[in-house]
Amino acid sequence: NAGVMQNPRHLVRRRGQEARLRCSPMKGHSHVYWYRQLPEEGLKFMVYLQKENIIDESGMPKERFSAEFPKEGPSILRIQQVVRGDSAAYFCASSPPGQGNSPLHFGNGTRLTVT
Amino acid sequence: GDSVTQMEGPVTLSEEAFLTINCTYTATGYPSLFWYVQYPGEGLQLLLKATKADDKGSNKGFEATYRKETTSFHLEKGSVQVSDSAVYFCALRFTGGGNKLTFGTGTQLKVEL
């Protein structure tokens, strides 16, 4: 049973370009979460999605950031017009439905570098 | 709001020393509590969890007990190894389906020979 798959592992973008980060949850998991980890800091919640729905986006910056989890295919975190401050590791996690005390399973992250 | 506070690192220990990493939380209600470990360049792996007061989570020699009276979930290990060097994150999550994990800032552990 494959774990949470994220790609790419490393992504380099110039300022002003777009970054697309992909996440395929574990089999049977319909809940996806995105977190951002800045250097030497902890993980900050960004957004929580279920299939075709955004449930909680309280941690998402108001501009340039968007996320989706379509009926088919992976979840996508999209950052438009990237700036140097967007450089960070972005982690996706998934969980099965209806088990609020279950742990989240994390992918290995995408490390975004903006030059 | 809900929050998790961990002791600041780095914590540097000699191999076979006793480890304690303190974690306290602030929450309305009774969350589930977790410890995650992150090795360099990797994602987070669940280390252990406890879902109610007085539960003890344990795994790979690590233990933590859910203390409601002190709102704490301290991580302990009797004898650390060099391979335990990593960053450890304490986190909470509420039951009720689908709520996010709230993390502490992480504590870096360095174990030396």
Side-chain angles (χ1 to χ4, degrees), chain A residues 17-23 32-36 46-49 53-70 74-82 86 90 112:
Chain A
Q17 291 185 320
E18 178 180 284
R20 283 185 178 237
L21 288 64
R22 295 174 183 77
C23 169
V32 166
Y33 307 76
W34 285 94
Y35 285 80
R36 176 165 63 177
M46 299 181 74
V47 62
Y48 159 46
L49 311 101
N53 286 303
I54 296 174
I55 306 303
D56 180 353
E57 57 181 347
S58 58
M60 285 279 270
K62 299 300 181 195
E63 298 179 348
R64 303 187 296 108
F65 284 71
S66 62
E68 63 177 12
F69 188 18
S75 175
I76 306 289
L77 179 67
R78 181 181 178 204
I79 311 172
Q80 295 178 289
Q81 300 174 344
V82 296
D86 297 332
Y90 292 83
L112 172 66

Side-chain angles (χ1 to χ4, degrees), chain B residues 2-60:
Chain B
D2 306 327
S3 65
V4 176
T5 302
Q6 290 181 235
M7 63 188 289
E8 289 191 14
V11 173
T12 303
L13 296 173
S14 298
E15 202 170 40
E16 298 185 1
F18 185 87
L19 168 71
T20 300
I21 299 178
N22 289 338
C23 170
T24 57
Y25 66 90
T26 302
T28 51
Y30 303 105
S32 295
L33 300 173
F34 304 85
W35 277 101
Y36 281 81
V37 58
Q38 185 180 31
Y39 298 100
E42 298 185 10
L44 275 74
Q45 301 174 25
L46 176 68
L47 183 58
L48 52 83
K49 72 171 187 177
T51 58
K52 62 183 187 296
D54 301 324
D55 268 2
K56 177 186 283 188
S58 61
N59 185 26
K60 300 180 181 179

Side-chain angles (χ1 to χ4, degrees), chain A residues 81-101:
Chain A
Q81 300 174 344
V82 296
V83 301
R84 287 222 172 101
D86 297 332
S87 296
Y90 292 83
F91 291 96
C92 170
S94 71
S95 70
Q99 297 181 28
N101 62 358

Side-chain angles (χ1 to χ4, degrees), chain A residues 9 31 33 35 37 40-43 45 48 56 58 91 95 98-109 111, chain B residues 32 34 36 38 41-46 49 51 89 93-106 108:
Chain A
R9 286 296 303 274
H31 297 195
Y33 307 76
Y35 285 80
Q37 185 178 33
E40 307 302 322
E41 292 189 17
L43 283 88
F45 169 77
Y48 159 46
D56 180 353
S58 58
F91 291 96
S95 70
Q99 297 181 28
N101 62 358
S102 63
L104 304 190
H105 298 263
F106 283 81
N108 283 333
R111 283 151 183 84
Chain B
S32 295
F34 304 85
Y36 281 81
Q38 185 180 31
E42 298 185 10
L44 275 74
Q45 301 174 25
L46 176 68
K49 72 171 187 177
T51 58
F89 292 93
R93 186 181 187 214
F94 280 94
T95 57
N99 287 318
K100 59 183 182 284
L101 272 173
T102 299
F103 285 94
T105 53
Q108 184 177 12

